[in-house]
Amino acid sequence: MSSLSRRNKILIVVFAVIAVIVVAALLFPATTPEVHLAANYGPYTEGDHTPEPFAKIGPIYITNTLIATWMSVVVLGGLFYFATRRMKLVPTGLQNLLEFVLEWLINFVESAAGKENGRRFFPIVATIFLFVLANAWMGLLPFFNVIGWGHTGTASTLIYGTYEGHLVDLALFRPANTDINVPLMLALVSFVSVEYWGITSLGLRHYGGKFFRFGQYLQGLGLIARGQLKSGLGTVFNGAIDIFVGILELLSEFIRIISFTFRLFGNMTAGEVLLMSMAFVVPAVVPVLFYGLEMLFGAIQALIFAGLTLVFATLAVAPHKAEH
C-alpha cells in the first residue's frame, strides 16, 4: 500500500478537525453571547447575584479568565518543555515547529530593530506574541463559555450548554483576552518595556528631551533679556509650540496604554460574540468556517500587539534632536 501524499495528509487533518468541532458543537450547545469587561468570579450564592471567587490565594482572586490564563501558560510551557527535552542537531517534529516559529519571530524583530536592539527586544515581543496567540486559540476550544453555572430557580447549578431550558450565564472557562484586565496588563508590560529601553539606550536626559522641550523657549527669554526683542519674541513663540508638541508626545505615551488595551479587548471580544452568535443561531456546521477565521484573526491580533510594541521600542531607542 503506497504511503499517503502530503496533500492527502493535510486534507485528512483538516477534515478530522472539522469533525471534532462539529461533534463538540453538538455535545456542547452554545450559550447566549454576552460581553463582560471584567472577569467573572464564581457561582452565585443562593438568592444573590453577586459572584463569589472560585478560590482565593492571599490577595489573588481565582477567576474564570485567570484559570484560562494559567491554562495558556501551562500549554506554552509544556510545548517548549517537550520540544527541548531531547534536542537534536537536526530538529524534527515539535522541536522543528517551535524552532521555525522562533526563527521567524527573531527575523521579524531584527528586520525592524536591527540585530543588536532586536536581541534586546526579542524576549518581550516574542512573549507577548505567543501569550496573546495562546489565549486566542485556547478560547476556541469547545468547552469555553459552555461549561459553568446556570440558574435553576434560586440556586446555581454547574451545567454545560443547556440544562432543563437554562443556559450557562457564568462560564467556568472564558477566553483570557476578553477580560479587559489581561489586555491592560499586556499594555502596561509593553509601555514599561518601551520606556525602559528608551531611557537605557539614550539616557534619561536625552530621552526626556523629546517630552520636555524648554530649550528654545528659554533661549528666547535670554534674547529678550539682552534687548533683542524681535528675534526673542519669535524664538519664544517657536519655543512655546515646541513645549506644546512635547506635552502631546508625553500624553501619547500614556494614551498608548488605553489604545493597546481596548484594541485587543474589543477585537477579541467581538470575535467571541460572533462565534457564539453563529453557534447559537446556526449550530454545528456553519460556525466551523468562523473558527478558521478566528484562528487567523487571533494570529493577526497577536502580531499587531507584538508588532506595535516593536515599532514603538525602535522609535524609543532612535536618537533624536537634543535640547539646546
Side-chain angles (χ1 to χ4, degrees), residues 86-106:
R86 294 178 181 174
M87 295 186 68
K88 301 176 182 178
L89 187 60
V90 179
T92 58
L94 186 59
Q95 180 189 343
N96 188 36
L97 174 63
L98 293 183
E99 283 193 10
F100 168 78
V101 173
L102 292 180
E103 184 178 356
W104 175 81
L105 279 172
I106 199 166

Side-chain angles (χ1 to χ4, degrees), residues 140-156:
L140 298 177
L141 294 175
F143 55 82
F144 271 71
N145 286 315
V146 296
I147 298 178
W149 284 265
H151 285 290
T152 55
T154 58
S156 252

Side-chain angles (χ1 to χ4, degrees), residues 132-144:
V132 173
L133 182 65
N135 285 336
W137 284 3
M138 288 286 289
L140 298 177
L141 294 175
F143 55 82
F144 271 71

Side-chain angles (χ1 to χ4, degrees), residues 276-291:
M276 294 173 67
S277 299
M278 290 297 100
F280 189 78
V281 175
V282 190
V285 178
V286 174
V288 171
L289 303 175
F290 291 93
Y291 267 83

Side-chain angles (χ1 to χ4, degrees), residues 35-53:
V35 177
H36 302 276
L37 284 176
N40 306 118
Y41 288 85
Y44 298 109
T45 56
E46 186 172 348
D48 185 10
H49 285 196
T50 303
E52 297 293 333

